[in-house]
């Protein structure tokens, strides 16, 4: 059967796995990265990476690029790569384990145009984090990395990979992130690929319970943005809440289904384009085709843009809102369109539910303030918008202005920086 090519908008997000070099040996690593001095022999060169960045920017200068690995800070050309991406107008962020972050390096990232970093923290128990990450002392170095970002004024978010073994820490992790000054807590639900094939991760019961906790936190938190990642079922749970929790792009979410292939792609260290980091199947090689051609024409990506879902996913009334994770059935059964076995929901037989539309701001914003809001990374835009409007209401104002945003920025980064936050539930310092 000849599949019709779907016209896709420019990607909203492209993750660049720049290297397999890593100073950790995490149990769940989808890339199976290792402690290597020079990375893989076929790793994209600096010139190849900058060419790729140019191709992404030519599609849209509103795309966010995530510089990640392995550990991206182990690439000696990382500052040049970051500077090139930000110089092309792309929203440039980095995913790191934080162990290599000093204040000087955080300041260098800011100077290179990196807008934020995501740092992995898998537990508030140092021994658990170190065991999960495969290196004694890793937790302490990661905590120092958080301190460095805070001292440099570099926005950071925390990535928490939840499993059956650490799910009970979620509430404490939320408190920790709030006190530490993180902009976002991303709760990741892993897919067993790469080295993670040997790791079971999370049960359906824990998965469902944690998603509901995340949804409640996303509704109730006002100083921290809490989001589920790699969990399209979150959108069903958000819609079932009373009142429904917003799940629009303005709130940090794509409103319908997983964004793999529709708004998101991953590039491996060797230049293979895949729909997401958990899908190892390549849509094409950048050494043979341009990124734009792969993005627009690759059969694999077009198949995901018009999915023919099977099993419970195909019969589900939330198929457009959620659609399930395509990487999980692909990894387990080799069937990308199979039902997502981690979901416990049984379809009710009703009509297909459409995603919620994007809602407008409650308070008016001046043109300058709205323009500046659009420059804020999408993953914290909801928090900034809500905080600004709450501040205006509390001070008796009638609209959000650029001066309001300046005042909030001074409050967040202009005051004396706090000491390292205490571990929730203990009398011990976090490091």
């Amino acid at each position: 059967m000849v599949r019709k090519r779907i016209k896709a908008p420019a990607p909203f997000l492209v993750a660049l796995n720049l290297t397999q070099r890593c100073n950790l040996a995490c149990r769940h690593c989808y890339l199976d990265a290792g402690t290597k001095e020079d990375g893989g022999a076929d790793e994209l060169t600096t010139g190849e990476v900058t060419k790729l960045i140019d191709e992404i920017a030519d599609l849209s200068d509103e795309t966010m690029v995530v510089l990640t690995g392995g550990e991206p800070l182990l690439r000696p050309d990382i500052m040049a790569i970051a500077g090139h991406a930000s110089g092309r107008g792309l929203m440039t962020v980095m995913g790191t384990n934080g162990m290599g972050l000093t204040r000087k390096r955080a300041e260098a990232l800011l100077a290179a145009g990196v807008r934020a970093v995501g740092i992995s923290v898998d537990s508030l128990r140092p021994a658990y984090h170190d065991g999960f990450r495969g290196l004694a002392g890793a937790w302490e170095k990661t905590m120092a990395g958080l301190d460095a970002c805070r001292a440099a004024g570099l926005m950071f978010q925390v990535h928490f990979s939840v499993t059956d073994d650490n799910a009970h820490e979620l509430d404490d992790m939320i408190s920790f992130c709030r006190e530490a000054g993180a902009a976002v807590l991303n709760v990741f639900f892993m897919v067993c690929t790469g080295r993670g094939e040997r790791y079971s991760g999370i049960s359906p019961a824990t998965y469902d319970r944690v998603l509901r906790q995340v949804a409640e936190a996303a509704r109730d938190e006002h100083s921290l943005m809490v989001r589920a990642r790699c969990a399209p079922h979150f959108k069903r749970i958000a819609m079932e809440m009373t009142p429904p929790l917003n799940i629009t792009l303005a709130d940090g979410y794509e409103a319908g289904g997983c964004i793999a292939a529709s708004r998101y792609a991953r590039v491996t260290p060797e230049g293979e384009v895949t729909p997401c980091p958990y899908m190892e199947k390549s849509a094409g090689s950048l050494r043979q085709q341009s990124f734009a051609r792969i993005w627009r024409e690759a059969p694999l990506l077009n198949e995901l843009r018009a999915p023919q879902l099977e099993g419970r996913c195909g019969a589900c009334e939330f198929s457009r809102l959620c659609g399930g994770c395509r990487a999980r059935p692909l990894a387990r059964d080799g069937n990308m369109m199979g039902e997502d076995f981690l979901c416990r929901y049984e379809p009710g037989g009703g009509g297909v539910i459409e995603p919620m539309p994007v809602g407008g701001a409650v308070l008016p914003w001046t043109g300058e303030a709205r323009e500046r809001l659009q420059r804020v990374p999408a993953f914290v835009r909801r928090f900034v918008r809500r905080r600004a409007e709450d501040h205006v209401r509390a001070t008796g104002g009638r609209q959000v202005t650029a001066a309001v945003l300046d005042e909030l920025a001074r409050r967040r980064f202009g005051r004396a920086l706090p000491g390292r936050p205490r571990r929730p539930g203990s009398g011990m310092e976090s490091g």
Side-chain angles (χ1 to χ4, degrees):
M1 183 180 86
V2 177
R3 184 174 292 274
K4 181 182 178 181
R5 190 171 77 189
I6 306 298
K7 185 176 181 180
F12 168 69
L13 177 66
V14 181
L16 307 184
N17 285 136
L18 294 173
T19 184
Q20 289 198 21
R21 282 173 267 202
C22 194
N23 46 6
L24 293 175
C26 303
R27 294 165 64 186
H28 63 295
C29 181
Y30 60 78
L31 199 63
D32 201 9
T35 52
K36 300 176 181 179
E37 292 293 327
D38 301 315
D42 294 333
E43 200 169 271
L44 292 176
T45 65
T46 306
E48 288 176 315
V49 175
T50 55
K51 179 175 180 288
L52 164 62
I53 288 169
D54 289 339
E55 292 175 356
I56 294 171
D58 287 344
L59 283 175
S60 171
D61 61 4
E62 296 183 354
T63 298
M64 181 187 299
V65 293
V66 183
L67 309 179
T68 185
E71 175 49 55
L73 290 173
L74 294 180
R75 270 196 73 132
D77 58 354
I78 190 61
M79 296 300 176
I81 289 172
H84 187 79
S86 63
R88 285 301 312 264
L90 298 172
M91 182 74 73
T92 306
V93 300
M94 178 178 288
T96 173
N97 57 45
M99 292 171 53
L101 283 172
T102 61
R103 178 168 181 168
K104 182 177 180 180
R105 180 163 277 185
E107 290 171 345
L109 289 172
L110 271 173
V114 173
R115 300 288 293 275
V117 295
I119 299 177
S120 299
V121 181
D122 297 305
S123 178
L124 299 175
R125 296 168 288 159
Y128 177 88
H129 178 94
D130 292 356
F132 195 66
R133 293 281 161 179
L135 181 70
W139 190 87
E140 283 289 348
K141 292 180 179 178
T142 295
M143 292 297 107
L146 295 177
D147 291 343
C149 290
R150 196 166 55 244
L154 176 60
M155 184 184 296
F156 66 92
Q157 56 183 321
V158 170
H159 296 171
F160 176 50
S161 295
V162 66
T163 72
D164 284 333
D165 297 325
N166 66 359
H168 65 281
E169 295 190 61
L170 179 57
D171 287 340
D172 283 347
M173 186 65 73
I174 292 170
S175 298
F176 172 81
C177 290
R178 186 193 313 120
E179 190 175 348
V184 181
L185 170 61
N186 278 328
V187 182
F188 277 88
F189 297 83
M190 298 174 293
V191 178
C192 294
T193 60
R195 191 155 60 234
E197 285 181 340
R198 303 186 292 274
Y199 187 73
S200 59
I202 194 168
S203 67
T206 304
Y207 179 68
D208 187 79
R209 174 172 56 81
V210 172
L211 280 180
R212 295 181 188 281
Q213 282 183 267
V214 172
E216 290 171 1
R219 177 194 62 201
D220 298 337
E221 285 293 321
H222 291 276
S223 60
L224 175 72
M225 190 173 188
V226 182
R227 301 185 306 184
R229 283 291 174 254
C230 303
H233 319 91
F234 175 83
K235 298 170 184 179
R236 168 180 57 82
I237 289 171
M239 178 165 275
E240 291 173 339
M241 296 176 74
T242 305
L245 177 69
N246 282 343
I247 44 173
T248 68
L249 187 58
D251 298 296
Y253 288 97
E254 282 277 352
C258 174
I259 65 172
S262 62
R263 301 297 305 279
Y264 177 40
R266 182 273 296 255
V267 178
T268 72
E270 300 77 28
E272 301 295 326
V273 178
T274 75
C276 83
Y278 295 119
M279 288 186 176
E280 299 174 343
K281 190 174 182 181
S282 175
S285 170
L286 292 172
R287 286 172 167 155
Q288 297 175 1
Q289 303 175 73
S290 70
F291 179 83
R293 184 174 181 182
I294 295 171
W295 176 254
R296 290 167 176 157
E297 300 180 9
L300 173 62
L301 303 184
N302 279 311
E303 185 178 359
L304 284 165
R305 288 163 188 159
Q308 304 296 310
L309 303 178
E310 301 174 10
R312 285 180 298 137
C313 288
C316 186
E317 61 269 34
F318 292 97
S319 59
R320 277 186 48 78
L321 182 73
C322 166
C325 175
R326 299 299 96 220
R328 289 195 185 101
L330 179 64
R332 191 184 75 169
D333 306 321
N335 179 11
M336 190 167 63
M337 295 299 160
E339 68 179 44
D340 186 341
F341 51 85
L342 205 53
C343 176
R344 300 200 302 172
Y345 180 75
E346 292 295 334
V352 175
I353 298 170
E354 296 295 328
M356 290 186 291
V358 178
V362 175
L363 289 180
W365 288 57
T366 65
E368 183 182 0
R370 190 173 296 279
E371 180 182 351
R372 286 173 55 176
L373 181 66
Q374 292 305 309
R375 296 201 296 267
V376 172
F379 52 78
V380 292
R381 200 170 292 151
R382 176 175 68 94
F383 161 64
V384 172
R385 185 181 65 201
R386 184 166 67 179
R387 192 173 182 208
E389 293 182 3
D390 287 348
H391 175 77
V392 170
R393 292 190 194 93
T395 56
R398 294 179 177 274
Q399 67 177 350
V400 181
T401 66
V404 169
L405 300 182
D406 287 338
E407 171 64 20
L408 293 176
R410 280 193 297 271
R411 290 186 180 191
R412 186 167 180 82
F413 296 115
R415 56 181 170 81
L417 293 165
R420 184 176 295 179
R422 292 181 179 273
R423 288 173 56 190
S426 80
M428 299 173 57
E429 293 293 329
S430 66

Coordinates of all heavy atoms in Angstrom, one line a residue, residues 215 232-257 317-322 352-360 382 385:
A215 N -0.7 15.1 37.9 CA -1.8 16.0 37.5 C -2.2 16.9 38.6 O -2.5 18.1 38.4 CB -2.9 15.1 37.0
P232 N 1.7 9.8 27.4 CA 0.6 10.5 26.7 C -0.7 10.3 27.5 O -1.7 11.1 27.4 CB 0.5 9.8 25.3 CG 1.3 8.6 25.5 CD 2.4 8.9 26.5
H233 N -0.8 9.2 28.3 CA -2.1 8.9 29.1 C -2.3 10.1 30.1 O -3.5 10.2 30.6 CB -1.9 7.6 29.9 CG -1.3 6.5 29.1 ND1 0.1 6.3 29.1 CD2 -1.8 5.6 28.2 CE1 0.4 5.3 28.3 NE2 -0.8 4.9 27.7
F234 N -1.3 10.8 30.4 CA -1.5 12.0 31.3 C -2.6 12.9 30.8 O -3.4 13.5 31.6 CB -0.2 12.8 31.4 CG -0.3 14.0 32.2 CD1 -0.2 14.0 33.6 CD2 -0.5 15.2 31.6 CE1 -0.3 15.2 34.4 CE2 -0.6 16.4 32.3 CZ -0.5 16.4 33.7
K235 N -2.7 13.0 29.5 CA -3.7 13.9 28.9 C -5.1 13.4 29.2 O -6.0 14.2 29.4 CB -3.4 14.1 27.4 CG -2.1 14.7 27.2 CD -1.6 14.7 25.7 CE -0.2 15.2 25.6 NZ 0.3 15.2 24.2
R236 N -5.3 12.1 29.2 CA -6.7 11.6 29.5 C -7.0 11.9 31.0 O -8.1 12.4 31.3 CB -6.7 10.1 29.3 CG -8.0 9.4 29.9 CD -8.0 7.9 29.7 NE -6.8 7.2 30.2 CZ -6.7 6.9 31.4 NH1 -7.6 7.2 32.4 NH2 -5.6 6.2 31.8
I237 N -6.0 11.7 31.9 CA -6.2 12.0 33.3 C -6.5 13.4 33.5 O -7.3 13.8 34.3 CB -5.0 11.4 34.1 CG1 -5.0 9.9 34.1 CG2 -5.0 12.0 35.5 CD1 -3.7 9.3 34.6
A238 N -5.7 14.3 32.8 CA -5.9 15.7 33.0 C -7.3 16.2 32.6 O -8.0 17.0 33.2 CB -4.9 16.5 32.1
M239 N -7.9 15.6 31.5 CA -9.2 15.9 31.0 C -10.3 15.4 32.0 O -11.3 16.0 32.1 CB -9.4 15.4 29.6 CG -10.8 15.6 29.1 SD -11.0 15.4 27.3 CE -10.4 16.9 26.7
E240 N -10.0 14.3 32.7 CA -11.0 13.7 33.6 C -11.1 14.5 34.9 O -12.0 14.3 35.7 CB -10.6 12.3 33.9 CG -10.8 11.3 32.7 CD -10.3 9.9 32.9 OE1 -9.5 9.7 33.8 OE2 -10.7 9.0 32.2
M241 N -10.1 15.4 35.2 CA -10.1 16.1 36.4 C -11.3 17.1 36.4 O -11.8 17.5 35.4 CB -8.8 16.9 36.6 CG -7.6 15.9 36.8 SD -6.0 16.8 36.9 CE -6.2 17.5 38.6
T242 N -11.7 17.6 37.6 CA -12.8 18.6 37.7 C -12.2 19.8 38.5 O -11.9 19.7 39.6 CB -13.9 18.0 38.5 OG1 -14.4 16.8 37.9 CG2 -15.1 19.0 38.6
P243 N -12.1 21.0 37.8 CA -12.3 21.2 36.3 C -11.1 20.5 35.6 O -10.0 20.3 36.2 CB -12.3 22.7 36.2 CG -11.4 23.2 37.3 CD -11.7 22.2 38.4
P244 N -11.2 20.3 34.3 CA -10.1 19.8 33.5 C -8.8 20.6 33.6 O -8.9 21.8 33.6 CB -10.6 19.7 32.1 CG -12.1 19.8 32.2 CD -12.4 20.6 33.4
L245 N -7.7 19.9 33.6 CA -6.4 20.6 33.7 C -6.0 21.0 32.2 O -6.1 20.1 31.3 CB -5.3 19.7 34.3 CG -3.9 20.2 34.3 CD1 -3.8 21.4 35.3 CD2 -2.9 19.1 34.6
N246 N -5.6 22.2 32.0 CA -5.2 22.6 30.6 C -4.1 21.8 30.1 O -3.1 21.5 30.9 CB -4.8 24.1 30.6 CG -6.0 25.0 30.6 OD1 -7.1 24.6 30.3 ND2 -5.8 26.3 31.0
I247 N -4.1 21.4 28.9 CA -3.1 20.6 28.3 C -2.8 21.1 26.9 O -2.9 20.4 25.9 CB -3.4 19.1 28.3 CG1 -4.8 18.8 27.8 CG2 -3.1 18.4 29.6 CD1 -5.2 17.4 27.6
T248 N -2.5 22.4 26.8 CA -2.3 23.0 25.5 C -0.8 23.3 25.4 O 0.0 23.3 26.4 CB -3.1 24.3 25.4 OG1 -2.6 25.3 26.3 CG2 -4.5 24.1 25.6
L249 N -0.3 23.7 24.2 CA 1.1 24.0 24.0 C 1.5 25.2 24.9 O 2.6 25.3 25.4 CB 1.3 24.4 22.5 CG 2.8 24.6 22.1 CD1 3.6 23.4 22.5 CD2 2.9 24.9 20.7
A250 N 0.5 26.2 25.1 CA 0.8 27.3 25.9 C 1.0 26.9 27.4 O 1.7 27.6 28.1 CB -0.3 28.3 25.9
D251 N 0.5 25.7 27.8 CA 0.7 25.2 29.1 C 1.8 24.2 29.2 O 2.0 23.6 30.2 CB -0.6 24.6 29.6 CG -1.7 25.6 29.7 OD1 -1.7 26.5 30.5 OD2 -2.7 25.4 28.9
G252 N 2.6 24.1 28.1 CA 3.7 23.2 28.2 C 3.5 21.8 27.6 O 4.3 20.9 27.7
Y253 N 2.3 21.6 27.0 CA 2.0 20.4 26.4 C 1.4 20.5 25.0 O 0.7 21.5 24.7 CB 0.9 19.7 27.2 CG 1.3 19.1 28.5 CD1 1.1 19.9 29.7 CD2 2.0 17.9 28.6 CE1 1.5 19.4 30.9 CE2 2.4 17.4 29.9 CZ 2.2 18.2 31.0 OH 2.6 17.7 32.2
E254 N 1.7 19.6 24.1 CA 1.0 19.5 22.9 C -0.4 18.9 23.2 O -0.5 18.0 24.1 CB 1.7 18.6 21.9 CG 2.8 19.2 21.2 CD 2.4 20.0 20.0 OE1 1.2 20.0 19.6 OE2 3.3 20.7 19.4
A255 N -1.5 19.5 22.7 CA -2.8 19.1 23.1 C -3.2 17.7 22.7 O -4.1 17.1 23.4 CB -3.8 20.1 22.6
G256 N -2.7 17.2 21.7 CA -3.2 15.9 21.2 C -2.1 14.9 20.9 O -1.2 15.1 20.1
G257 N -2.1 13.8 21.6 CA -1.2 12.7 21.3 C 0.3 12.9 21.5 O 0.7 14.0 21.9
E317 N -11.6 6.0 23.0 CA -12.2 7.4 22.7 C -11.2 8.5 22.9 O -11.4 9.6 22.4 CB -13.5 7.6 23.5 CG -13.3 7.6 25.0 CD -13.5 6.2 25.7 OE1 -13.1 5.2 25.0 OE2 -13.9 6.2 26.8
F318 N -10.1 8.2 23.6 CA -9.0 9.1 23.8 C -7.9 9.0 22.8 O -6.8 9.5 23.0 CB -8.4 9.0 25.2 CG -9.4 9.4 26.3 CD1 -10.2 8.5 26.9 CD2 -9.6 10.7 26.6 CE1 -11.1 8.8 27.9 CE2 -10.5 11.1 27.6 CZ -11.2 10.1 28.3
S319 N -8.1 8.3 21.7 CA -7.1 8.0 20.7 C -6.4 9.3 20.1 O -5.2 9.3 19.8 CB -7.6 7.1 19.6 OG -8.7 7.8 18.9
R320 N -7.2 10.3 20.0 CA -6.6 11.6 19.4 C -6.0 12.4 20.5 O -5.0 13.1 20.3 CB -7.6 12.4 18.6 CG -7.8 11.9 17.2 CD -8.8 12.8 16.4 NE -8.5 14.2 16.5 CZ -7.5 14.9 15.9 NH1 -6.7 14.2 15.1 NH2 -7.4 16.2 16.0
L321 N -6.5 12.4 21.7 CA -6.0 13.1 22.8 C -4.7 12.5 23.3 O -3.8 13.2 23.7 CB -7.0 13.2 23.9 CG -6.6 14.0 25.2 CD1 -6.6 15.5 24.9 CD2 -7.5 13.7 26.3
C322 N -4.7 11.2 23.3 CA -3.6 10.4 23.9 C -2.9 9.6 22.8 O -1.8 9.9 22.4 CB -4.1 9.5 25.0 SG -3.0 8.2 25.6
V352 N -14.9 9.7 19.6 CA -13.5 10.1 19.8 C -13.5 11.6 20.4 O -14.2 12.4 19.9 CB -12.7 10.1 18.5 CG1 -11.3 10.7 18.6 CG2 -12.6 8.6 18.0
I353 N -12.7 11.8 21.4 CA -12.7 13.1 22.1 C -11.6 13.9 21.5 O -10.4 13.4 21.3 CB -12.4 12.9 23.6 CG1 -13.5 12.1 24.2 CG2 -12.2 14.2 24.3 CD1 -13.2 11.6 25.7
E354 N -11.9 15.1 21.1 CA -10.9 16.0 20.5 C -10.1 16.8 21.5 O -10.6 17.0 22.6 CB -11.6 17.0 19.6 CG -12.3 16.4 18.4 CD -11.4 15.7 17.4 OE1 -10.2 16.2 17.3 OE2 -11.8 14.7 16.8
P355 N -8.8 17.1 21.2 CA -8.0 17.9 22.2 C -8.7 19.2 22.5 O -9.4 19.8 21.6 CB -6.7 18.0 21.4 CG -6.7 16.9 20.5 CD -8.1 16.7 20.0
M356 N -8.4 19.7 23.7 CA -8.9 21.0 24.1 C -8.2 22.2 23.3 O -7.0 22.1 23.0 CB -8.7 21.3 25.6 CG -9.6 20.4 26.4 SD -9.4 20.8 28.2 CE -7.7 20.3 28.5
P357 N -8.9 23.2 22.9 CA -8.3 24.3 22.2 C -7.4 25.1 23.2 O -7.6 25.1 24.4 CB -9.5 25.2 21.7 CG -10.6 24.8 22.7 CD -10.4 23.4 23.1
V358 N -6.5 25.9 22.6 CA -5.7 26.8 23.5 C -6.6 28.0 24.0 O -7.3 28.6 23.3 CB -4.5 27.4 22.6 CG1 -3.7 28.4 23.5 CG2 -3.7 26.3 22.1
G359 N -6.5 28.2 25.3 CA -7.3 29.2 25.9 C -6.5 30.5 25.9 O -5.3 30.5 25.9
G360 N -7.2 31.7 26.0 CA -6.5 33.0 26.1 C -6.2 33.3 27.5 O -6.7 32.7 28.4
R382 N 3.9 28.6 30.9 CA 2.6 28.6 31.7 C 2.9 29.2 33.1 O 2.1 30.0 33.6 CB 2.1 27.2 31.8 CG 0.8 27.1 32.7 CD 0.3 25.7 32.7 NE 1.2 24.8 33.4 CZ 1.1 24.4 34.7 NH1 0.1 25.0 35.4 NH2 1.9 23.5 35.2
R385 N 3.5 33.0 32.8 CA 2.2 33.7 32.6 C 1.3 33.7 33.8 O 0.8 34.8 34.2 CB 1.4 33.0 31.5 CG 0.2 33.7 31.0 CD -0.5 32.9 29.9 NE -1.0 31.6 30.4 CZ -1.3 30.6 29.7 NH1 -1.1 30.7 28.3 NH2 -1.8 29.5 30.2

